[in-house]
Amino acid sequence: MISTKARPAAPRHSRPVTYGRVRGIYLPRLTDALAASMATYGIPLLVLGTTNSSSLTGVAFVLAWAPRLCTFTPAGMAVDRYGPARVFRLAAATRALVTGLAAPALAMTDERTALGLVMLLAACAGCLTQFSYVAAESVGATASRDAGDGAHRVQSVLLGIDQTAALAGPAAGGLLLQWDGPSRMLAVIGGLSMLSAAITPRMRHAPRHTPEATTSPAHGWRTGWSTLRALPALARLVAGLALSNLALALLEAATPVIVVQQLGRSSASVGMVWSCAAAASLLAVAACRLMMDRWSLTTVGRCAALLTGVPCFLIAHADSYPAYLTLIAVFMAGDSVLAVVLRTLRSHLIPAEVFGSTLSVTVLLLLLPYPLAGALMAVVDPAAIPTLITVCAVLQCLGLACAFTHGTRPRTHRGRHRRR
C-alpha cells in the first residue's frame, strides 16, 4: 500500500504568494493547458489539411515532441534555480510572441514556405511547452505536499484542469481551423499564452542559489537520475507508463489519418474524438478521487491499468467512427487515472529541493515515445497502422503489469534518498 505522508514544505520562492489555489495555481494552469492542447493537436492537423500526407503529419508530430526531449534538463534546472513562477511566465509569453508572429506570416507566404513555417512552429511550441509544463508541475507538487494526505485531491483537480483543456482545445482548434483558417487558430493560441503569462502570480522573494541547484545540464541530469534510481517504486511506475505512452502517442499521431482518410470524416471529427476522450477522463478523475479515499493508490492503479489495456487491443480493429471514438474515450479514462497515481506518488517521493531536475528526468522518459510514434507514422504504410497499435498494446500490458506487481513503501525510499 502506498503511504501519502506529507513531505516538508518547499522553499518559499516556489510558492505563489497572497493568492489561493484557484487564482494562484489553477487558473494559470488552465489557460496554459488550453494553449498547449490547441498547439499539440492543431498543428499536425494543419499539416494534414495542407499536404494530405500522413508522412508529413508524422514529421510534424515528431517536431512537436522532439524539442521537448532536448530541453528537459534546462527546464528542470531553470525551475530549481529561478523558481517556477518566473519560468512559467517567460515560457508562456514567448509562446504568445511566436504564434503571434506566425499567424500573419502564414497568410502572406506560398504553400511550401507555409509548410516550413508550420514545422518550425511545431518545434518552437514543443520546446516552450516543456518549460511551462515543468514549472506548472513544480507548483502543483508544492500544493500537493502542503495538502498532506489530501494530495491526491489536489492532483485530481490539476489533472481535471488538463483534461478540461484537452476537452476544449482539440475541438476549438479543429473548428477554428475548418471555419476560420490557421491564422485565427494561432491567434487564439497566442492570446491564451499571453493571458497565462499575465495572470501568473509573482514570487515573494528572489530564489536562493542553494548547493542543490544545478550548474550544468550534465549535473542536472545526474541529480535527477540518481534521485529516480533511489526511488524504485516511482522508477517502475515511470517505466510502465512510458510504454503506455507509446500506445497513446501512436494513437494521437494516427488519429488524424484514421479518422480523415480511413473513416472518411472531417478535421472537426478528429477534434471531437479527443474532446469526448477528455470528457470521459474528467469523469474517471472525479471517480478515482473517491476511490483513492477508500482504497490504496496501488489498487486503483491496477484497475486503471486493466481499463487502459483492453481497449487498446480493440482500437486496432475498430471499423466505424462511433466505435473508434468510444474505445479512445475508455482508453483515455484509464490513462487519466494512471496519471493521478503517478503525480500523487511523485509529489510525495521527490524531495522539493531537486524536484525540477528529477521531474525533468521522469518527463523525458515519459515523452520519449512521442517522437518515436511520430517517426513510426512517417515510415509505416497506413495499412499497417492496426498491426502497429496491437504491438504497442502488448508492450503496454507488459509494462503496467511490471509496475503494479511489486509493493511500494515510499517512507523507506525517502530515507534511502536522504542517505545518498
Side-chain angles (χ1 to χ4, degrees), residues 67-343:
R68 301 180 69 170
L69 305 183
C70 300
T71 56
F72 77 100
T73 298
M77 291 169 52
V79 168
D80 286 340
R81 187 168 185 177
Y82 300 109
R86 183 179 299 178
V87 173
F88 183 89
R89 188 183 303 110
L90 181 59
T94 306
R95 184 173 56 206
L97 177 62
V98 170
T99 53
L101 293 175
L106 287 176
M108 297 184 294
T109 56
D110 55 38
E111 182 175 328
R112 178 173 297 183
T113 304
L115 178 61
L117 287 175
V118 170
M119 294 296 187
L120 179 61
L121 176 62
C124 293
C127 176
L128 294 169
T129 296
Q130 172 72 335
F131 277 85
S132 65
Y133 174 79
V134 173
E137 281 294 288
S138 297
V139 174
T142 299
S144 295
R145 284 188 289 268
D146 291 343
D149 290 339
H152 64 277
R153 299 186 183 95
V154 175
Q155 289 299 329
S156 66
V157 172
L158 292 175
L159 187 59
I161 289 172
D162 291 344
Q163 295 300 339
T164 299
L167 174 66
L175 290 174
L176 287 171
L177 188 60
Q178 183 174 354
W179 298 109
D180 293 322
S183 296
R184 183 64 61 86
M185 182 186 73
L186 294 177
V188 172
I189 293 174
L192 288 171
S193 298
M194 183 57 68
L195 180 60
S196 301
I199 65 177
T200 301
R202 295 188 176 274
M203 297 177 295
R204 182 184 312 215
H205 295 292
R208 297 172 294 178
H209 296 282
T210 62
E212 293 82 2
T214 56
T215 58
S216 68
H219 189 184
W221 165 261
R222 288 194 299 269
T223 299
W225 183 249
S226 63
T227 304
L228 184 61
R229 288 178 58 192
L231 306 170
L234 181 61
R236 285 193 299 267
L237 184 57
V238 168
L241 289 183
L243 291 174
S244 181
N245 276 358
L246 178 60
L248 174 59
L250 182 63
L251 291 174
E252 289 185 2
T255 292
V257 178
I258 293 174
V259 172
V260 175
Q261 294 186 349
Q262 298 182 5
L263 299 180
R265 296 285 181 148
S266 66
S267 60
S269 298
V270 178
M272 186 59 63
V273 168
W274 297 114
S275 295
C276 290
S281 297
L282 283 172
L283 295 176
V285 168
C288 84
R289 181 175 178 175
L290 300 176
M291 291 188 292
M292 288 179 184
D293 286 336
R294 184 172 182 179
W295 296 297
S296 68
L297 289 180
T298 302
T299 300
V300 175
R302 287 170 179 167
C303 295
L306 181 62
L307 187 65
T308 304
V310 174
C312 194
F313 282 101
L314 300 177
I315 286 172
H317 306 287
D319 57 359
S320 67
Y321 179 76
Y324 186 83
L325 185 149
T326 301
L327 291 172
I328 288 287
V330 175
F331 176 91
M332 289 299 297
D335 184 78
S336 297
V337 176
L338 290 175
V340 174
V341 174
L342 172 65
R343 292 182 178 193

Side-chain angles (χ1 to χ4, degrees), residues 354-368:
V354 293
F355 187 87
S357 298
T358 310
L359 173 65
S360 293
V361 173
T362 64
V363 169
L364 170 69
L365 298 176
L366 293 173
L367 293 185
L368 276 173

